[in-house]
Amino acid sequence: MKEVLKNYSGILLLLLGITVGSFVGIFLPEVVSYIKPLGDIFLNLLFVSVVPLVFFAVANSIASLEQDSKFGKILLIMSFTFLLFILIAAVFTIFAVYFFPVASISGSSEQIAEATQEENWGDRIVSFFTVGEFTELFSRRNMLALLIFAFLTGFATRKAGENGTPFRVFIASGYEVMKELLLMIMKIAPIGLGAYFAYQVATLGPQLFGFYAKPLGLYYVAGIIYFFAFFTLYAFMANGQNGIKSFWKNAVYPTLTALSTCSSFATMPSNLAAASKIGISNQVANLVIPIGTTLHKNGSSMSSIIKIYVAFQIIGRDFFEPSNLLLAIGITVFVSIVAGGIPNGGYIGEMLMISVYSLPQEAVPAVIIIGTLVDPLATVLNAVGDIVAAMFVNRFVKV
């Protein structure tokens, strides 16, 4: 019994914190404004620690790989895995909305002006991949630019040979230090996440009813089915029955973290810890999970299809026309890559979708509101999906 409590104490404490937070959010919403700062403090500590962890993890993983062919193989299999899982999620959701259609909904026009602001596409593309100042790299809003910089730093360290050895030792040491720092911060997770969950329940809970109940119900039912059925399938494909057992044994903590924070970024430390317990090699986990946080999003793929479908319902167009379906899948893949691993980061993807389809203003508020309300489950699918993706890659790459 003592061994069980030792192994599961973190999960039990986190569950206790989330449960208490839920009751506070439901029955004492007036108290939420006083305890929310505890959640904000925890998330801020987590975010400022995870940013350098991403840099050190990716750079160290690349620099420590001895064979160029091994690195290329990891990247190739990782890219294939991300694309495959995103497409499966999109197609599964298309079947869900086809067999369980929902009535059209309407939304207010309060957010139209802000949502339809135009931005130069050239500037947007530049901002996706690069930043103008070195200090801007270490912002969670510039994750893709940070990943690219970490990639290049790892390559440069390898190219430097013997002269790069001291720096290679530095980034390896930095990675270990940042892991320990995050373990220290996660000790206060039950309090921080409980406070933040109380805020989520108090603010989003009432909106789950009304116009958006049917499309939201469809998303949550389809998402839960996908979570259990497809993640189990992916774990089995990665390592048979042992893969299923090890995945579900270690996926609880990341799932609860993602559900509480609505942030793939904040879930990364628990994902890395779970990957280590599952037996995924450090070289694979330190590449797939940080990169997957930005570029691999099952939940965003599913929500993109739901939002496009709802928008088509509003404007009276046929979503299931072949050309519309193909475009929806293409947009979904792009949206799943663009959406950042931060709370409400999907707004960028939503604006891209609206722009590509040239949707009228009536569809904009509905798309934005649905994107916000599906965020908790979408984050779970996004974040925990990185673990099964890492297992899948590890299956084909022996490092």
Side-chain angles (χ1 to χ4, degrees):
M1 185 64 181
K2 289 182 179 179
E3 189 68 21
V4 172
L5 289 175
K6 179 181 178 181
N7 292 336
Y8 292 95
S9 59
I11 294 174
L12 293 174
L13 288 173
L14 189 57
L15 275 173
L16 177 63
I18 289 175
T19 302
V20 173
S22 298
F23 281 115
V24 171
I26 294 171
F27 298 108
L28 298 170
E30 67 277 2
V31 178
V32 168
S33 60
Y34 296 100
I35 64 174
K36 183 177 179 292
L38 295 175
D40 292 335
I41 290 171
F42 169 73
L43 286 183
N44 287 342
L45 287 172
L46 198 61
F47 286 142
V48 298
S49 303
V50 170
V51 170
L53 173 68
V54 171
F55 169 76
F56 283 117
V58 174
N60 178 58
S61 185
I62 295 173
S64 63
L65 286 172
E66 296 183 358
Q67 299 179 12
D68 291 332
S69 59
K70 185 70 70 177
F71 172 68
K73 187 176 182 180
I74 292 176
L75 279 186
L76 180 63
I77 296 174
M78 179 185 68
S79 301
F80 171 79
T81 301
F82 287 175
L83 182 60
L84 176 65
F85 288 4
I86 288 172
L87 287 174
I88 290 174
V91 172
F92 172 73
T93 311
I94 289 173
F95 277 102
V97 298
Y98 179 78
F99 288 108
F100 302 96
V102 299
S104 61
I105 64 174
S106 60
S108 71
S109 58
E110 296 174 358
Q111 303 180 56
I112 291 173
E114 179 182 354
T116 55
Q117 284 182 341
E118 293 187 1
E119 183 180 352
N120 181 278
W121 272 95
D123 293 339
R124 181 178 289 173
I125 292 173
V126 170
S127 66
F128 283 160
F129 297 101
T130 59
V131 293
E133 297 287 343
F134 177 78
T135 54
E136 294 176 1
L137 280 172
F138 295 93
S139 167
R140 68 179 189 269
R141 295 176 179 85
N142 298 317
M143 277 298 298
L144 190 54
L146 177 63
L147 287 171
I148 292 172
F149 182 75
F151 262 101
L152 296 176
T153 300
F155 276 122
T157 305
R158 291 159 59 89
K159 295 285 286 183
E162 290 295 326
N163 293 330
T165 299
F167 190 78
R168 188 179 296 110
V169 172
F170 164 71
I171 57 178
S173 176
Y175 170 61
E176 295 298 328
V177 170
M178 295 314 302
K179 279 203 305 184
E180 291 300 321
L181 175 60
L182 281 162
L183 288 174
M184 293 167 55
I185 294 173
M186 290 303 292
K187 296 291 185 183
I188 61 172
I191 297 174
L193 296 185
Y196 202 79
F197 205 76
Y199 167 74
Q200 295 279 37
V201 170
T203 55
L204 291 183
Q207 299 181 60
L208 293 175
F209 303 97
F211 287 123
Y212 304 96
K214 288 186 178 180
L216 287 174
L218 178 61
Y219 179 85
Y220 275 90
V221 170
I224 291 171
I225 292 173
Y226 184 88
F227 178 73
F228 287 105
F230 283 87
F231 283 4
T232 298
L233 174 63
Y234 298 153
F236 177 79
M237 294 170 65
N239 195 24
Q241 293 291 341
N242 290 332
I244 296 175
K245 182 179 178 180
S246 61
F247 170 72
W248 287 114
K249 179 181 178 181
N250 295 287
V252 177
Y253 201 103
T255 300
L256 294 175
T257 304
L259 188 65
S260 303
T261 62
C262 287
S263 172
S264 301
F265 200 56
T267 311
M268 193 190 307
S270 53
N271 271 352
L272 290 170
S276 177
K277 293 177 182 178
I278 290 171
I280 302 170
S281 69
N282 286 334
Q283 288 89 342
V284 171
N286 292 343
L287 278 177
V288 174
I289 290 177
I291 295 173
T293 299
T294 300
L295 304 181
H296 173 235
K297 297 185 175 294
N298 295 273
S300 295
S301 175
M302 297 182 69
S303 67
S304 174
I305 295 295
I306 291 285
K307 286 181 285 189
I308 295 174
Y309 172 72
V310 168
F312 271 60
Q313 289 287 87
I314 292 173
I315 63 178
R317 289 169 60 182
D318 183 11
F319 173 73
F320 297 103
E321 184 181 316
S323 60
N324 288 335
L325 285 177
L326 289 174
L327 186 56
I329 291 174
I331 292 173
T332 294
V333 171
F334 191 53
V335 164
S336 301
I337 293 173
V338 168
I342 58 175
N344 299 323
Y347 284 155
I348 298 173
E350 289 158 13
M351 293 305 101
L352 291 176
M353 181 195 78
I354 291 167
S355 175
V356 170
Y357 270 112
S358 300
L359 296 177
Q361 64 181 28
E362 297 85 43
V364 176
V367 168
I368 292 177
I369 292 171
I370 289 174
T372 300
L373 297 180
V374 303
D375 204 30
L377 180 57
T379 304
V380 171
L381 297 173
N382 290 341
V384 182
D386 293 335
I387 301 177
V388 286
M391 292 176 66
F392 199 80
V393 174
N394 195 69
R395 162 72 173 79
F396 297 98
V397 180
K398 301 299 181 184
V399 182

